[in-house]
Amino acid sequence: MNEITPAGRFRDAEAAPAALDKRYREPVASSPAALPWSETLSVLLGHRSVRAFSAEPLAEGTLEVLLAAAQSAPSSSNVQAWSLVSVEDPALRAKLAQIAGGQKHIETAGLFLVFVADLSRVQRLAEREGLTTEGLDYTESFLIASLDAAFAAQNALTAAESLGLGAVYIGALRNDAAAVAHLLKLPPRSYAVVGLAIGRPEPAVASDVKPRLPQPGILHRDVYSTAGEEDVLARADAHALAFRAEQGLDATPWTRLALQRLHAVASLKGRHILRRQLETLGFPFK
Ligand SMILES: Cc1cc2nc3c(=O)[nH]c(=O)nc-3n(C[C@H](O)[C@H](O)[C@H](O)COP(=O)(O)O)c2cc1C
């Protein structure tokens, strides 16, 4: 049963092991019933990307609460070097879907949000104050803005899932970062890091929790070690194959899928020129 501890933590002796089993398909902790747990953890571990949305509109105010959640993410030095474009024009969505390789869910989602790494606001502020912006030219500033945008996006995704909505990131906007910047009229020193399609999950299309690498493949204690990696990868492949069989997907193991995504320039789907595009968008990477 659920129990609120004095610290305000929500414990559910049954929810933790079930959620961990689903995520890993193998035991994680020796005594899972004793794990600390919360409603937030249930939402986080229950994540699955949703790409099929029903036509039922979202509740009024959804954009505003998701933005509040996104803005509640930590921000490097609280500079808040990101912006959000909510794409509402169907024609614009269709163009973005085309750039993203025909991802229809960009058009059918209740909300399509574009998270923008945005150093332009600081640039304008500096101009107003008559100050220089040398620091903005450096890779560190690019990274700060990109991280701010990414953390904000992840907060929005989790917030959406906590409301029972489904979502999927659209990294494929970076297939042509220059075209996206042009379409959304992004100012210099900004670029679209990632899109997020959000909607009510279409009940007829099942989605499920996708297994992740067993924890020993990710967790290093004190120092990095590759000991046991072969075994971890074999387990990851077995779990991925079981998941894919359940989903009616082909029998490609995880190790092969990961390599397919990265082994050749062609698999970057146009993103091999990203650095050059970003330079033209005002990120000199000094
Ligand atoms: C930065 C980023 C970009 C992504 N871009 C896309 C995308 O363009 N299209 C898509 O269908 N899924 C995209 N995804 C979703 C991943 O494919 C998905 O998270 C991954 O397969 C794990 O599945 P899960 O989210 O259901 O656990 C993206 C995920 C991330 C983190």
Side-chain angles (χ1 to χ4, degrees):
M1 281 305 292
N2 303 333
E3 167 205 336
I4 307 285
T5 69
R9 297 272 170 193
F10 183 91
R11 278 171 181 273
D12 183 337
E14 289 140 33
L20 289 163
D21 277 356
K22 204 129 182 63
R23 180 57 73 198
Y24 293 109
R25 294 178 181 241
E26 62 175 48
V28 168
S30 48
S31 53
L35 289 174
W37 202 250
S38 69
E39 283 177 284
T40 305
L41 281 162
S42 290
V43 173
L44 288 169
L45 271 81
H47 161 76
R48 78 280 311 268
S49 290
V50 170
R51 299 175 177 85
F53 302 112
S54 80
E56 199 191 333
L58 301 182
E60 235 177 279
T62 302
L63 172 60
E64 287 75 12
V65 294
L66 295 185
L67 176 55
Q71 287 193 266
S72 298
S75 158
S76 210
S77 305
N78 202 24
V79 170
Q80 305 178 58
W82 67 281
S83 290
L84 187 67
V85 180
S86 171
V87 183
E88 290 159 18
D89 175 6
L92 203 47
R93 287 225 202 159
K95 286 180 185 153
L96 294 175
Q98 204 183 352
I99 289 170
Q103 298 197 49
K104 269 288 172 201
H105 32 276
I106 294 176
E107 295 176 71
T108 57
L111 281 172
F112 186 64
L113 307 179
V114 179
F115 289 81
V116 176
D118 187 4
L119 297 173
S120 80
R121 191 184 300 112
V122 174
Q123 172 75 48
R124 290 191 292 279
L125 185 58
E127 283 164 10
R128 197 186 76 177
E129 304 291 321
L131 294 172
T132 58
T133 53
E134 257 175 65
L136 294 186
D137 290 347
Y138 287 83
T139 301
E140 169 66 6
S141 298
F142 164 81
L143 193 58
I144 280 174
S146 302
L147 289 170
D148 272 8
F151 296 144
Q154 182 58 25
N155 261 23
L157 180 144
T158 303
E161 291 178 344
S162 78
L163 295 172
L165 303 176
V168 64
Y169 279 124
I170 306 294
L173 291 186
R174 296 190 308 277
N175 289 356
D176 193 342
V180 171
H182 179 72
L183 281 172
L184 303 182
K185 301 196 168 143
L186 301 184
R189 293 199 190 275
S190 70
Y191 83 99
V193 178
V194 76
L196 187 59
I198 300 169
R200 295 189 191 278
E202 168 55 55
V205 181
S207 63
D208 206 356
V209 168
K210 198 184 272 185
R212 294 293 192 261
L213 285 172
Q215 288 197 354
I218 295 282
L219 177 65
H220 305 266
R221 296 194 189 265
D222 295 325
V223 292
Y224 195 104
S225 164
T226 57
E229 190 162 73
E230 281 304 315
D231 177 52
V232 161
L233 293 178
R235 277 148 57 199
D237 279 347
H239 302 323
L241 287 174
F243 171 82
R244 291 180 70 80
E246 286 161 21
Q247 298 291 307
L249 299 168
D250 65 53
T252 313
W254 177 84
T255 46
R256 178 59 46 184
L257 289 168
L259 289 173
Q260 272 172 9
R261 184 65 186 76
L262 295 164
H263 81 112
V265 172
S267 49
L268 291 175
K269 298 187 179 148
R271 296 179 221 176
H272 60 291
I273 60 162
L274 181 60
R275 174 160 166 186
R276 265 176 282 146
Q277 289 198 328
L278 290 171
E279 281 168 353
T280 67
L281 295 176
F283 296 94
F285 296 107
K286 280 189 182 165

